[in-house]
Amino acid sequence: MPIQNSETGDADKLKDEAARRSGIHGWLDGVRSTRSGALTLKIVIGVIGSVMVIGGLIMVPFPGPGWLVVFAGLAVLATEFHWAHKVLEFGKRTLHAWTQWYKRQGWTVRILVAVVTVAAAGVIVYFGLRTLGVDLLQMAKDYL
């Protein structure tokens, strides 16, 4: 058992216990065993998770993995923040409820949902490109 002094307190004991755990969890426990390590980890996780969530939300209206990136960012944030864990669980429950509802619907509703989704994505992409100065309808008229 290591000798504890007044400067480190229980940090040495916590580090020894964390070293016995294997993998990423042991390493994270080792980092969290000091105040500066815990604060640094919170800041790093907060920045990385926030960038992922914001980037995912920006990507949501466009074709691609927007919601996947949002959920991945929340999963990163949930490693350090309880509120993010609660939001992630809410999102999982909501997605599960939506997919269960969608599976119970007949082909008419499924096709209608698909058409509305594709139409909404098309409108969002059209106006998104138009704000960048690309007018697809004008290009199509010029082509024809």
Side-chain angles (χ1 to χ4, degrees), residues 16-37:
D16 289 341
E17 289 174 9
R20 281 185 238 136
R21 290 181 73 184
S22 62
I24 188 76
H25 295 292
W27 180 80
L28 287 174
D29 288 344
V31 171
R32 287 185 190 111
S33 66
T34 62
R35 264 198 262 185
S36 61

Side-chain angles (χ1 to χ4, degrees), residues 98-118:
W98 161 255
T99 55
Q100 292 304 314
W101 175 85
Y102 187 71
K103 286 178 184 178
R104 290 191 306 265
Q105 304 309 307
W107 287 105
T108 311
V109 174
R110 288 184 182 192
I111 291 171
L112 183 62
V113 168
V115 167
V116 169
T117 302
V118 169

Side-chain angles (χ1 to χ4, degrees), residues 77-141:
L77 287 170
T79 62
E80 286 297 312
F81 301 101
H82 183 66
W83 63 265
H85 180 73
K86 291 173 83 172
V87 171
L88 183 61
E89 289 303 317
F90 171 77
K92 286 179 184 178
R93 283 191 313 270
T94 304
L95 179 62
H96 181 72
W98 161 255
T99 55
Q100 292 304 314
W101 175 85
Y102 187 71
K103 286 178 184 178
R104 290 191 306 265
Q105 304 309 307
W107 287 105
T108 311
V109 174
R110 288 184 182 192
I111 291 171
L112 183 62
V113 168
V115 167
V116 169
T117 302
V118 169
V123 168
I124 290 168
V125 169
Y126 171 74
F127 283 111
L129 289 174
R130 193 152 178 212
T131 59
L132 297 174
V134 178
D135 189 356
L136 293 177
L137 292 180
Q138 187 62 39
M139 290 172 66
K141 287 179 187 176

